[in-house]
């Protein structure tokens, strides 16, 4: 059996990486933007080399073995059998949900999402003169959950689109069948389209919480859904810009394609090359990665909860931890937790950008030794 090494990573300092360039020349460990420090799977790299050696980069369209790899991969990993004509190729998931906003609503209409959430969700409605309508997720014990009454009330504000992030960035939940069924019922009652960003679906850490695509619940919810997926997070190839929407309903798909017309380009052929190999051949790499991420996730929970004034709960998916710093910053009169920890040598994302100030998001998609170094810096910054 092939083994994969996640204990080391290529040196990204001085590279084109956004994540690393922010701190060029400073002793700050970058743990913000959601890409991992690991190299892409060896089979993906080989396929890219072979495609480059071909030497011709003319316009391309999704080819049969690529379609088969994606369709079979989703059936195998998420028990959802999709049809080839449901797929709409996209150069990214952010593009995908912006197109959904444009396709579904009119200026003035409401677009719902729960907070905190991946920041581009919060900006998409205004891009098309639509209104952002939100309700907060609430922490019950160890689990971030929906406030159903607040959600139902919010949907009454002339909302047309329900933007779901599942698995959830940043709280790391994998919403279960009961939660997804309630969302589907709300969508039915308020006649909403659901745009479900499932970019993190290959990164479920807890086998007890398998990912369920909301559109796989039943045909009625499939008809009102736009599901967005990509190989980018799971196989760490986000800058190859290849993603897709899955839209089972022909009329909704036609509306979606009209909203893309003239604006959204074809997908990068190297991205599609990588996608085929990732979905078809890189299951073992993904399983090995998940072992590393599970171990890193457990260390984050243990180390953070041992630091006075900081707390976090276990994530069910993703390589992102959502850390509550409110007690610590209130006690010390610190205005901004992420700026404070950056000055102490760890660069994390500011919760304010996700709609919840006082929190930071830590990206633990890196070798364990680097993670330990960062956790020690956080501890020292608080206890010294
Ligand atoms: C929930 C979510 N959606 C979308 C993206 C980005 O997708 P893309 O790079 O394909 O636009 C991210 C990246 O962090 C994400 O976390």
């Amino acid at each position: 059996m092939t083994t994969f090494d996640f204990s080391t990573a290529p040196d990204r300092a001085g590279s084109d990486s956004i994540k690393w360039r922010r701190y060029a020349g400073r002793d700050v460990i970058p743990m913000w933007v959601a890409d991992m420090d690991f190299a892409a799977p060896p089979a993906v790299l080989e396929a890219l080399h072979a495609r480059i050696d071909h030497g011709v980069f003319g316009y391309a369209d999704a080819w049969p073995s690529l379609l088969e790899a994606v369709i079979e991969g989703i059936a195998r990993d998420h028990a959802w059998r999709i049809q080839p004509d449901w797929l709409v190729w996209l150069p990214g998931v952010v593009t995908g949900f912006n197109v959904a906003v444009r396709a579904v609503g009119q200026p003035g209409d409401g677009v719902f999402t729960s907070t905190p959430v991946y920041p581009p969700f919060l900006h998409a409605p205004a891009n098309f003169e639509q209104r952002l309508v939100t309700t907060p997720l609430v922490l019950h014990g160890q689990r971030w959950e929906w406030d159903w009454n607040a959600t139902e009330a919010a949907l009454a504000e002339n909302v047309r689109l329900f933007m779901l992030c599942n698995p959830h960035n940043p709280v790391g939940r994998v919403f279960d069948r009961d939660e997804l069924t309630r969302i589907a019922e709300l969508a039915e009652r308020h006649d909403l389209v659901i745009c479900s960003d499932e970019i993190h679906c290959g990164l479920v850490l807890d086998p007890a919480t398998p990912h369920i695509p909301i559109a796989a619940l039943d045909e009625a919810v499939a008809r009102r859904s736009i599901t967005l997926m990509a190989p980018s997070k799971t196989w760490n190839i986000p800058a190859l810009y290849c993603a897709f929407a899955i839209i089972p309903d022909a009329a909704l798909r036609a509306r979606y394609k009209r909203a893309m017309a003239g604006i959204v380009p074809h997908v990068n052929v190297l991205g599609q090359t990588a996608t085929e190999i990732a979905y078809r051949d890189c299951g073992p790499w993904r399983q090995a990665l998940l072992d590393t991420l599970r171990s890193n996730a457990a260390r984050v929970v243990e180390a953070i909860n041992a630091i006075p004034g900081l707390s976090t709960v276990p994530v069910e998916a993703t390589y992102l931890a959502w850390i509550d710093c409110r007690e610590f910053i209130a006690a010390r009169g610190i205005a901004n937790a992420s700026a404070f920890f950056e000055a102490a040598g760890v660069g994390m994302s500011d919760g304010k950008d996700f709609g919840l100030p006082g929190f930071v998001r830590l990206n633990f998609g890196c070798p364990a030794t680097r993670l330990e170094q960062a956790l020690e810096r956080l501890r020292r910054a608080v206890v010294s």
Side-chain angles (χ1 to χ4, degrees):
M1 201 184 106
T2 320
T3 53
F4 303 100
D5 177 18
F6 293 101
S7 63
T8 56
D11 183 7
R12 301 179 79 193
S15 74
D16 48 30
S17 159
I18 295 178
K19 185 176 167 188
W20 283 77
R21 282 173 76 96
R22 174 180 280 184
Y23 300 117
R26 292 168 61 190
D27 182 20
V28 178
I29 303 174
M31 308 194 98
W32 62 294
V33 157
D35 62 32
M36 297 185 281
D37 287 335
F38 305 121
V44 164
L45 299 178
E46 260 174 52
L48 290 172
H49 281 298
R51 180 63 189 84
I52 285 172
D53 287 344
H54 175 60
V56 184
F57 301 98
Y59 295 115
D61 209 355
W63 50 94
S65 58
L66 165 62
L67 294 173
E68 190 187 332
V70 168
I71 290 167
E72 292 305 322
I74 292 170
R76 180 192 62 222
D77 296 339
H78 307 299
W80 187 26
R81 170 69 49 193
I82 63 170
Q83 301 300 319
D85 61 346
W86 297 356
L87 283 167
V88 181
W89 292 89
L90 295 164
V93 166
V94 172
T95 302
F97 59 67
N98 274 277
V99 170
V101 172
R102 182 166 201 250
V104 171
Q106 300 294 323
D109 285 347
V111 176
F112 173 83
T113 198
S114 55
T115 56
V117 77
Y118 177 55
F121 272 52
L122 303 174
H123 307 306
N127 291 341
F128 304 97
E129 296 168 58
Q130 297 183 37
R131 282 177 304 111
L132 174 69
V133 178
T134 62
T135 57
L137 293 168
V138 279
L139 186 62
H140 282 142
Q142 295 282 293
R143 218 166 91 126
W144 288 90
E145 294 184 348
W146 294 84
D147 178 338
W148 296 112
N149 290 335
T151 301
E152 174 98 59
L155 296 178
E157 295 178 37
N158 194 28
V159 167
R160 304 259 48 87
L161 183 69
F162 191 121
M163 284 182 50
L164 177 65
C165 187
N166 182 40
H168 192 274
N169 171 7
V171 305
R173 280 295 318 283
V174 181
F175 297 119
D176 65 25
R177 188 171 292 279
D178 287 347
E179 291 168 307
L180 296 174
T181 301
R182 283 186 87 153
I183 292 167
E185 285 165 1
L186 287 172
E188 183 81 32
R189 199 150 61 238
H190 294 270
D191 193 20
L192 309 177
V193 172
I194 301 168
C195 178
S196 186
D197 175 340
E198 304 187 6
I199 195 170
H200 294 281
C201 67
L203 293 171
V204 175
L205 304 180
D206 183 348
T209 60
H211 174 73
I212 303 169
I214 192 165
L217 286 180
D218 62 45
E219 277 181 28
V221 62
R223 274 198 298 277
R224 55 174 72 253
S225 69
I226 298 165
T227 303
L228 301 170
M229 290 188 184
S232 49
K233 298 290 157 184
T234 306
W235 289 285
N236 205 32
I237 48 174
L240 291 179
Y241 290 105
C242 178
F244 47 86
I246 304 168
I247 311 177
D249 183 74
L252 183 56
R253 197 163 59 243
R255 256 163 89 190
Y256 191 87
K257 286 184 176 170
R258 267 200 305 280
M260 291 169 65
I263 300 172
V264 179
H266 277 93
V267 177
N268 183 320
V269 70
L270 295 179
Q272 288 186 315
T273 300
T275 297
E276 174 177 353
I277 301 304
Y279 276 89
R280 197 183 59 218
D281 299 334
C282 297
W285 186 92
R286 180 170 78 97
Q287 292 307 330
L289 168 73
L290 292 177
D291 286 343
T292 298
L293 295 182
R294 265 183 219 113
S295 152
N296 283 3
R299 266 305 288 148
V300 169
V301 170
E302 180 183 44
I304 294 297
N305 288 330
I307 301 175
L310 302 190
S311 63
T312 192
V313 297
V315 292
E316 294 161 342
T318 78
Y319 46 80
L320 307 165
W322 186 238
I323 302 173
D324 187 352
C325 309
R326 289 174 298 185
E327 195 185 314
F328 167 64
I329 60 177
R332 293 271 285 266
I334 292 166
N336 181 299
S338 72
F340 173 82
F341 288 119
E342 188 180 290
V346 184
M348 297 179 286
S349 305
D350 188 344
K352 176 164 59 66
D353 299 336
F354 297 71
L356 193 47
F359 283 72
V360 292
R361 193 192 70 177
L362 180 149
N363 174 345
F364 57 81
C366 64
T369 45
R370 184 172 299 145
L371 176 62
E372 286 303 331
Q373 204 187 357
L375 292 171
E376 178 54 18
R377 286 184 182 191
L378 295 180
R379 191 190 66 78
R380 255 189 282 130
V382 171
V383 299
S384 64

